[in-house]
Amino acid sequence: MKQNTIFFYALDPTHIGAGGYRLGRVDNTVMRDAGSNLPKIPGSSISGACRSAAIYSLPETERAQAMVYARETLDKQNTERTHRGGQDPIAKVFGFAEGDEKGTSQIGMVSFRDAHIFAFPVSTMNGPRWVTTVSRLNEAGCKNVPVPKNETEVLTQKQENTSSRLNIGWLLLDTKAEDIPFPQALLDYDLILMQRIEKALLVVDENLFASIINANLEVRTSVSIDFETGAGVDGALFTYEAVPRGTLYQSAVCFDDDRYPEQASSAPELVKKAMALATQLGLGGMTTRGFGRMQAIWEEVDA
């Protein structure tokens, strides 16, 4: 099993809907992890977007073959096939299940993990800062991460000019300057942007992280449109959450090269191309309203 760590940098706000309306401060909430109550991007959302984009990442001859398989899947409802999943370059990587009597199925050789927030942008009196925790830095491979003494202390980078107390949203915390490490893969990808985030990095206590994020999500208001008049529908006002642009997520993509050695060399390249296209088109909902664009940053990790 080969695993790649992957970071997502949000170029736009992100809305991965939880499905339906909820009773609370907003109507449409974002999907959250059940244990931490933090917004996340489900692996199924990443996988679906990549699979849709993968067909446009193939060479022209393979793309035509994949188009035939896709049309037969949609039009003939898994019957009377002339092509099979074992022949399709997309299905062989992402998996397939054929419902007719002669059909077969195969699990995908690539699997996508949920993307969790690694660093979250917040407004402070000293400008924007990115909040993270010790556990997230350790999970990203950073060593010798300093630890805040308690919930009232926030750690800042030594080279940054920060006052003795700093507000994070509505919280006012004591500061302490430390050398906070940062993932090298991010710096290698975009030195200028990631250096800025590194210098503005804050480390807070684990108990505060969820509260800071949930208190600083965007809440937007919209209204349903009457297609006959082109005006807003009376009583159809609704609100929805969004994770702000600038958020850094961490995830992982695994390739099962043990069971599928014949695709071990070609599948990662296809998935990377598909990921680049999918993240530019946007993940999640409301992509036509300027939501969902991301930048994918890959880091190989031995597993």
Side-chain angles (χ1 to χ4, degrees), residues 161-183:
N161 294 323
T162 306
S163 55
S164 60
R165 306 190 80 187
L166 184 69
N167 71 303
I168 302 176
W170 55 272
L171 291 172
L172 186 62
L173 304 175
D174 297 325
T175 63
K176 181 181 179 183
E178 293 280 2
D179 289 320
I180 304 174
F182 197 68

Side-chain angles (χ1 to χ4, degrees), residues 20-29:
Y21 287 85
R22 297 289 187 273
L23 292 177
R25 68 187 185 103
V26 293
D27 298 316
N28 293 336
T29 57

